[in-house]
Every structure is written in C-alpha cells, then in structure tokens.
Amino acid sequence: MSSFGVRGMSQPLGIRICCCRICTCINFGFVLSRAGLLKLMQLGLAMLCEGLLIRYGVPYADSIGQALTSFLATTGHCFATNGILLMCYCFSEKSYGLIRQSLFETLFNALASCMYFSSSSYMGFACVIWLHPQFLVRPGFWAYPAMTACYYMGYAAGLLHAIDAFLAFKQFRGMR
C-alpha cells in the first residue's frame, strides 16, 4: 500500500518504455498528486519572482530599499526548501510519509505564507511610493511593472503555501 494515500500515487515507479521501465528511482506519482502540483506551482512562482527581482529590482535597490531584500530573502529561502522537499518526495516515498505528516511541513508552509504576504505588502508599498512616480516620468522604466507583477505573484505564492499548510495540517492530524 502506498504511503501517499492519494489516488493514482501507488502506480509503478519510473517511465514505461515498451516492455520495461527506466528511471525507477523517480516517483512521478508524487509530482502528479495534489501535494506535488502545489510544490511545483510554489517553485515556479518563487523562480519567476526571483528572476524579476534580480533582473529589474536589483538595479533600483537604492529606490526600493529593504522591500527588495525582504522579498529576495523570502523567495530564496522558500525556493530552496521547496526544492529540497520536492526532491526528497520524488526520490523517496518513505520521505513523503515521514516528513509530510510531521509538524515541519505545516510550520514551514504557514511561515512561508506569512513571509510572502508580508514581503509582498512591503514591496507593494515600495512600488506605489517610490517606483510609480519614476514610471510616470521616465520612458522605458520597467522596474515598476516588473515589481508590481512580482508582488502579485508573491500574494499567489502566499496563498498556495497557506493551502499547503492547511493540507499538511490535516495530514498531521490524521484527517487526510
């Protein structure tokens, strides 16, 4: 019986080619599960935010200030932790059963959600106060739209982490 407890997760590991399976060390069933898709979306949003912050935010760090540092720290830490968890879950079904039902997943996702919401709010404030006036007077000033997109994606990432925290808490309590 699969410890994932999710429909479709107890399928054979790896990729089927003709009459054999390759890459049997990878559990693709997790990636296609609800928790796996949440992790992939969280990683994708963190990667997009990090890219926008580095490409468009860092050159204007003096204007944005600590909002940039806060958002960079949030996306960097959440990306790294989610990446490690995703790799553990993809390569070890036992890891998923042990880590997911522990308090770590619940606390990590709850904290990540709070961090995303607070750093997105701070970035939104910095965008309106410092970047928007420059956007109105400087042609080709792409920092404002990029940072605006970044903090909107930060709110979305915070929401995804809140949902993941709720699901992890249900699993921690044994409610599935």
Side-chain angles (χ1 to χ4, degrees):
M1 184 75 183
S2 172
S3 65
F4 289 104
V6 178
R7 225 174 359 154
M9 296 276 299
S10 59
Q11 60 193 357
L13 302 177
I15 302 169
R16 182 166 188 214
I17 297 179
C18 296
C19 61
C20 62
R21 293 199 167 276
I22 60 169
C23 297
T24 56
C25 61
I26 301 173
N27 185 3
F28 291 106
F30 171 74
V31 176
L32 300 175
S33 71
R34 178 176 50 189
L37 291 173
L38 270 171
K39 291 279 179 228
L40 285 175
M41 288 189 292
Q42 291 164 359
L43 277 173
L45 284 173
M47 193 173 9
L48 286 171
C49 287
E50 193 80 12
L52 286 173
L53 289 167
I54 291 170
R55 171 72 173 93
Y56 296 101
V58 170
Y60 299 99
D62 56 336
S63 296
I64 301 170
Q66 291 298 315
L68 178 69
T69 307
S70 169
F71 214 110
L72 278 169
T74 298
T75 57
H77 288 79
C78 291
F79 179 81
T81 305
N82 265 327
I84 291 168
L85 287 173
L86 186 63
M87 284 192 320
C88 288
Y89 296 163
C90 284
F91 287 104
S92 171
E93 191 172 336
K94 185 183 263 188
S95 293
Y96 180 81
L98 293 172
I99 298 171
R100 182 71 177 182
Q101 68 186 7
S102 72
L103 194 55
F104 175 77
E105 272 276 349
T106 303
L107 292 177
F108 162 68
N109 283 304
L111 181 63
S113 178
C114 292
M115 288 173 59
Y116 267 117
F117 285 137
S118 67
S119 62
S120 293
S121 298
Y122 194 14
M123 181 60 79
F125 173 78
C127 283
V128 169
I129 298 299
W130 292 294
L131 296 181
H132 188 257
Q134 293 180 47
F135 177 71
L136 294 175
V137 296
R138 289 176 58 188
F141 185 73
W142 296 109
Y144 173 71
M147 295 302 100
T148 301
C150 195
Y151 78 80
Y152 279 125
M153 285 189 286
Y155 283 127
L159 182 63
L160 288 175
H161 278 285
I163 292 168
D164 205 8
F166 175 72
L167 294 174
F169 181 72
K170 280 178 56 177
Q171 193 164 354
F172 172 70
R173 288 291 194 181
M175 294 184 268
R176 294 232 181 229

